[in-house]
Amino acid sequence: MSPRQHEGDDTESFPDDRFLLPQLPGADTEEVEKYQRGGFHPVHLGDVYDGRYRVVHKLGAGGFSTVWLARDDTEHSWVALKIVVADYSTSVSTKNQLSCHAASQPTSDAVFGFVVERRRFTLDGPNGRHLCLVLPVLGPSASQLSKGIFSRITPSLSRRASYQAARALADLHAQGFGHGDVTTANILFGLLNMDRYTESDIYRLFGAPETAPLETESGETPGPEAPKYIVKSLDFLSSEESLISQDVRLIDFDQSFLISLPPEKMLGIPAEFLAPEVAVGLKASPASDVWALGCSIFRIRSGDGPFSAYETLGELPGSWGDTLFDYYGQPTKEPTKGSPLEPWEGKRSIKDLIYKIWDQPENSVVEAGRVRLEDPVCGEDKKKPYPPCLSDTVWKPTAMKINNSYIEGYSDETDELLETLPKISENEAALLYDLLSKIFVYDAQNRPSAREMLTHPWFHMDDL
């Protein structure tokens, strides 16, 4: 579903970009325009925080924080240092204290599940006061490992990771908290004995950090509010020695809430994971977490999400038709600030999507029909398979040679090539459809709870 666009509406103004995009090919960097008052803290390699945490590499970034691989020179161990944007540091601090208390008291016997902070401190910088969380170091996210034609998680690990995420969410709900941001970006794989590695080992395994200068549109040197350079995040899939475990953790309580006191404002979760009732202005609940978990499960198993921001399951409940949306797509009750939903024809068949999930062939070369001329255009990095040590974890579709061609990007030709790959088994497809069809319903009260999901046979196919 999509709110009506306000064509010709000049009441909204947007600041001009101050910075040029960093020249880091293949990097998914932070939003550099947030290096301003109230935004990100500028970080440089080698910086030391709280007198003990020395920045060695970058782990990633999101809309509300940057996360760094740091060496704790006091305890001689590795930590993840999460530095929250200044404007959100107070609210994130409160939410993390509450939900981390719940996470530290799981109701199941799981040895995985949540990431609980080790300690916290505040940092005063040019952009304000920032909350800094010291966390255990984790590996890549499910978003990174399950990414369409570029990377896919193996089927058995997909089921294992999905079960563990559901189990962690069930524990959180049992403690009276909603997560609010269950996405594949917040489902992270663990690492195997990270503390055995030295700083030299990190560079040997993953290479030295790649950087690019942060330049302004005006050509002037950036002020103290911005770093001198942007750092490309460490790539855990580039190492010939696997550190990635088969267990996942649910992270990031920035959007968490008390189930008894749901948030009044729209959650900050991406639209493709947002439960439809929340999208039209109803309050978040454990059921909206379950919807997001269902979207995550589909992404983990298939490589793609089941919905975009503009698709629906079919005709919306009549009571939702009165909802108005403002310029930014947020629900509003003020007629002068919003417009009703426009009809959208993008109805999706969940069953059809599930039965079309394609999987890894037995061999890296597939001949199934008309042989094309050798395809020279795909980049060498895309053609290169993941290291053998990752064979039980992920595989790279673009490294498959199909009918003498490599998959380069999304196109009609790519769809034709993918049709030659093996499909999900009939048995697994039927089980996955049974699970997701119970989750993807408009009436939130009819969705299963995260705890009820745990007994579903799709999760336990590998137990037989």
Side-chain angles (χ1 to χ4, degrees):
M1 50 194 166
S2 171
R4 178 177 298 168
Q5 297 300 307
H6 295 232
E7 295 182 4
D9 187 346
D10 58 1
T11 61
E12 302 289 338
S13 61
F14 301 93
D16 294 331
D17 290 343
R18 296 172 298 136
F19 300 107
L20 297 172
L21 290 176
Q23 298 302 303
L24 281 171
D28 187 11
T29 66
E30 64 269 32
E31 187 178 342
V32 293
E33 296 301 327
K34 287 189 175 181
Y35 282 109
Q36 61 182 358
R37 188 70 184 175
F40 292 127
H41 177 71
V43 176
H44 296 96
L45 297 168
D47 284 354
V48 177
Y49 294 97
D50 206 34
R52 59 190 285 186
Y53 303 112
R54 179 167 45 85
V55 174
V56 173
H57 215 308
K58 185 179 180 182
L59 292 174
F64 298 98
S65 64
T66 56
V67 186
W68 302 87
L69 177 64
R71 187 68 178 173
D72 183 347
D73 288 330
T74 298
E75 297 189 359
H76 307 291
S77 62
W78 293 106
V79 300
L81 183 61
K82 178 177 180 177
I83 304 179
V84 182
V85 296
D87 279 349
Y88 284 88
S89 285
T90 300
S91 61
V92 169
S93 176
T94 301
K95 291 178 178 180
N96 271 268
Q97 285 177 327
L98 291 171
S99 49
C100 283
H101 171 73
S104 66
Q105 302 180 61
T107 58
S108 73
D109 59 355
V111 296
F112 39 76
F114 301 104
V115 173
V116 181
E117 67 189 59
R118 294 179 177 175
R119 58 186 300 264
R120 61 173 56 195
F121 59 93
T122 56
L123 163 70
D124 289 316
N127 295 329
R129 174 164 291 185
H130 303 263
L131 172 69
C132 300
L133 301 177
V134 181
L135 304 162
V137 183
L138 295 178
S141 70
S143 285
Q144 294 170 294
L145 298 192
S146 190
K147 197 173 183 180
I149 62 174
F150 302 104
S151 185
R152 289 285 299 280
I153 301 174
T154 59
S156 60
L157 184 55
S158 294
R159 294 186 288 270
R160 177 185 176 91
S162 297
Y163 174 82
Q164 291 179 354
R167 192 171 176 178
L169 186 61
D171 276 348
L172 188 65
H173 288 170
Q175 295 294 328
F177 291 88
H179 187 277
D181 197 14
V182 179
T183 71
T184 46
N186 287 331
I187 299 172
L188 266 59
F189 285 80
L191 296 176
L192 301 171
N193 195 13
M194 182 73 173
D195 284 336
R196 62 180 166 165
Y197 295 105
T198 65
E199 187 172 337
S200 296
D201 290 331
I202 297 298
Y203 295 145
R204 172 180 58 82
L205 291 169
F206 306 108
E210 295 182 46
T211 65
L214 182 57
E215 300 174 311
T216 63
E217 289 277 0
S218 65
E220 298 178 356
T221 301
E225 78 282 356
K228 297 176 182 177
Y229 51 81
I230 299 297
V231 184
K232 185 177 181 179
S233 298
L234 181 152
D235 181 8
F236 285 102
L237 301 178
S238 64
S239 172
E240 295 291 335
E241 182 177 337
S242 178
L243 285 72
I244 304 172
S245 80
Q246 301 280 299
D247 293 325
V248 300
R249 301 281 188 95
L250 186 60
I251 69 162
D252 202 342
F253 297 120
D254 294 357
Q255 299 291 317
S256 62
F257 58 91
L258 281 167
I259 294 172
S260 60
L261 191 64
E264 295 292 334
K265 294 183 178 180
M266 174 80 80
L267 295 172
I269 187 172
E272 57 266 34
F273 297 91
L274 182 65
E277 69 275 9
V278 181
V280 299
L282 302 182
K283 291 184 178 180
S285 67
S288 58
D289 276 347
V290 167
W291 175 284
L293 178 62
C295 296
S296 298
I297 289 172
F298 187 90
R299 167 71 183 268
I300 289 170
R301 182 60 184 89
S302 74
D304 295 296
F307 307 108
S308 75
Y310 304 102
E311 292 162 331
T312 70
L313 291 171
E315 186 176 352
L316 301 176
S319 60
W320 292 2
D322 297 332
T323 304
L324 302 178
F325 291 85
D326 66 15
Y327 185 90
Y328 297 100
Q330 302 290 314
T332 178
K333 295 180 180 179
E334 298 185 37
T336 59
K337 293 186 177 181
S339 299
L341 290 172
E342 287 185 341
W344 178 258
E345 302 300 327
K347 181 179 178 181
R348 306 273 276 184
S349 168
I350 297 298
K351 185 174 184 179
D352 186 53
L353 290 174
I354 290 172
Y355 277 79
K356 287 184 176 180
I357 293 173
W358 43 270
D359 279 330
Q360 184 178 18
E362 292 184 5
N363 301 307
S364 60
V365 177
V366 177
E367 300 294 353
R370 178 169 58 88
V371 177
R372 295 174 169 81
L373 295 176
E374 176 71 28
D375 182 359
V377 296
C378 187
E380 290 301 318
D381 287 344
K382 293 180 181 178
K383 292 181 183 179
K384 184 179 179 182
Y386 289 131
C389 62
L390 296 173
S391 61
D392 292 336
T393 304
V394 289
W395 63 286
K396 187 186 292 187
T398 55
M400 300 288 111
K401 195 172 186 181
I402 307 171
N403 290 347
N404 214 40
S405 292
Y406 289 97
I407 298 170
E408 181 186 7
Y410 290 100
S411 65
D412 291 340
E413 183 177 359
T414 293
D415 292 340
E416 184 181 337
L417 293 174
L418 294 177
E419 281 297 317
T420 68
L421 296 180
K423 300 295 186 293
I424 185 174
S425 72
E426 289 279 335
N427 179 51
E428 183 184 0
L431 291 174
L432 183 56
Y433 175 65
D434 182 73
L435 172 64
L436 294 182
S437 64
K438 291 178 170 65
I439 293 173
F440 295 142
V441 294
Y442 283 134
D443 189 342
Q445 294 183 346
N446 288 337
R447 292 175 203 149
S449 69
R451 182 70 63 196
E452 290 168 341
M453 288 173 58
L454 298 179
T455 59
H456 195 278
W458 180 74
F459 293 116
H460 304 286
M461 290 180 61
D462 302 303
D463 298 343
L464 301 177

